[in-house]
Structures are given as structure tokens and as C-alpha cells.
Amino acid sequence: MSKQKSRALQMLYKNAHEDAELIRQTTGLPLETIELLRRDVLRMTDNNPEF
């Protein structure tokens, strides 16, 4: 996993509803990639509320 994706995931774990544009500015990742990561994080946290 790239450093950019790792950083985006860290930001999304803290706040899954973080503004995608802010994440894009911080990481340089495309918005499409950020939305896919957000979907995965939301799915993970929905399936495991303790996470």
C-alpha cells in the first residue's frame, strides 16, 4: 500500500465523513480512489462497531 493510501485511510478511520477534497489535497490521490477507500472504511466499521 502506498504512503498516500495509508494516510488517506488514517484520515478516514478518524472521520469517515472527512471532506474528500481535503484528503485529496493532503494525499494527492484521485477523488475516485478516496471514495472507494471511504466505502471500504464505512463497510468495515458497519460490520464491526468496536472498530
Side-chain angles (χ1 to χ4, degrees):
M1 178 179 304
S2 71
K3 280 187 171 184
Q4 293 87 355
K5 281 187 180 180
S6 177
R7 177 68 178 132
L9 282 172
Q10 288 175 356
M11 293 176 76
L12 289 167
Y13 287 143
K14 286 182 180 179
N15 179 5
H17 301 288
E18 184 76 65
D19 182 44
E21 183 61 26
L22 175 64
I23 297 172
R24 186 194 67 74
Q25 291 173 356
T26 303
T27 64
L29 290 172
L31 293 176
E32 182 177 298
T33 302
I34 294 166
E35 291 304 327
L36 289 173
L37 292 171
R38 180 190 320 273
R39 185 193 67 197
D40 292 343
V41 167
L42 288 172
R43 193 176 295 155
M44 188 182 320
T45 55
D46 285 347
N47 291 337
N48 187 1
E50 295 175 6
F51 185 71

